Amino acid sequence: MSFKSWLLRSSVVLCISSLLCGCSAQEPVSEKDKMNSPSASMTASVSPSASSSAGTSSTSESENASTSPDDVNESGLTVEEQKKVDAGEYVAASVKHRAFNVPKPVFPESAREETLEGAEAFIRYWVDLRNYASSTGDVDDISRITAPDNDYEQDFYRDLRRWYSDREWLVGLTMKVDFEDNDFVLGEDGFYRFLVRPSVSESKYCKNVDYCASDSGDIFRGKPGVIGLYYDEGWVFGQLIGVEGINYAE
């Protein structure tokens, strides 16, 4: 059974973030609503940086030649940040620059097992890999372990690849998942379902250093969701959905 067939038999579809599929962060959306909606778009407030055309006071050549720890280079890095990058150290993204030297998650051997422990290890890895992709634009691995007909995620991965190739990046958008008590039961449709409590941090989409738009972040508000996986010579992520009957707008 395909992901979409399973989705239509499930409860409420939720976008992980409005950065993901342009949905409202105020209420769940159905698959039908998603298919009839425009393509992903930013609906957040804009916080442009200070104008670079502001006038400057007259200074001497020696003053112009001096640098301070707050000076930034073409990559938006300060002197101290550039030293860390050159040393191979991780530097988090900011409104001035993308992240550098982001550690790539390593696939855990336990995530190969078709067991409850293996499924939870895979979900943790998937979340870490999604956070990594959001920080780098490197989406090859996360795309391979996500259902190919999960339009929400696959469209987001294509956006990430395009953004980072065009000197656009994300600040934040860190996802976390806590597990509830789960049984390991294979549904008749071939999917395993796991009750979780997901959270997503506030984030910004930035283009060069001239424009940043804010995303409201977590739409789950501490409430549970359901992750669906299937096993096909290895785990594949289906979708994170809301629980029917829960109001995610409150």
Side-chain angles (χ1 to χ4, degrees):
M1 176 177 289
S2 70
F3 159 71
K4 285 181 180 176
S5 298
W6 168 77
L7 190 62
L8 291 172
R9 294 180 56 179
S10 303
S11 48
V12 180
V13 181
L14 288 176
C15 299
I16 293 175
S17 164
S18 62
L19 282 168
L20 173 60
C21 59
C23 70
S24 167
Q26 300 304 312
E27 59 184 7
V29 296
S30 67
E31 177 70 3
K32 180 179 178 181
D33 292 335
K34 170 62 172 64
M35 298 303 293
N36 292 334
S37 68
S39 58
S41 62
M42 286 300 301
T43 56
S45 59
V46 178
S47 302
S49 60
S51 170
S52 60
S53 61
T56 56
S57 58
S58 175
T59 57
S60 67
E61 289 185 6
S62 62
E63 289 174 328
N64 283 331
S66 66
T67 61
S68 75
D70 294 329
D71 289 336
V72 297
N73 58 22
E74 292 181 355
S75 297
L77 295 163
T78 65
V79 173
E80 291 303 314
E81 287 174 331
Q82 185 63 61
K83 289 180 180 178
K84 290 182 178 180
V85 171
D86 293 341
E89 298 179 31
Y90 168 67
V91 174
S94 75
V95 296
K96 295 295 185 181
H97 59 75
R98 64 177 178 84
F100 289 85
N101 299 326
V102 182
K104 188 170 184 177
V106 177
F107 186 84
E109 285 300 314
S110 58
R112 301 185 188 280
E113 302 171 1
E114 191 176 2
T115 63
L116 176 59
E117 293 74 18
E120 291 185 348
F122 172 81
I123 292 171
R124 292 189 188 95
Y125 171 71
W126 184 90
V127 169
D128 290 343
L129 195 60
R130 190 181 191 278
N131 292 337
Y132 167 81
S134 297
S135 296
T136 64
D138 180 359
V139 299
D140 290 345
D141 289 349
I142 189 70
S143 179
R144 280 195 293 267
I145 62 173
T146 301
D149 52 354
N150 180 339
D151 293 337
Y152 296 127
E153 287 291 317
Q154 297 294 349
D155 285 351
F156 180 54
Y157 304 153
R158 283 187 283 270
D159 284 340
L160 284 173
R161 190 191 301 275
R162 174 174 54 81
W163 292 342
Y164 279 90
S165 65
D166 291 340
R167 294 195 65 185
E168 302 164 28
W169 66 93
L170 298 181
V171 183
L173 197 59
T174 300
M175 182 180 180
K176 295 181 180 180
V177 166
D178 292 321
F179 292 94
E180 299 291 305
D181 291 334
N182 284 291
D183 295 322
F184 190 66
V185 179
L186 178 62
E188 293 181 359
D189 53 9
F191 282 84
Y192 295 90
R193 292 173 175 81
F194 305 94
L195 189 64
V196 298
R197 288 191 181 270
S199 62
V200 182
S201 66
E202 294 184 5
S203 57
K204 294 180 184 295
Y205 158 82
C206 295
K207 184 173 184 178
N208 297 317
V209 294
D210 305 317
Y211 170 90
C212 281
S214 298
D215 181 78
S216 55
D218 193 3
I219 65 170
F220 288 93
R221 299 176 174 86
K223 298 172 183 178
V226 176
I227 286 179
L229 306 180
Y230 63 88
Y231 197 89
D232 182 13
E233 299 183 352
W235 288 110
V236 178
F237 180 88
Q239 178 63 296
L240 172 60
I241 61 174
V243 178
E244 187 173 13
I246 292 181
N247 185 352
Y248 291 90
E250 295 179 347

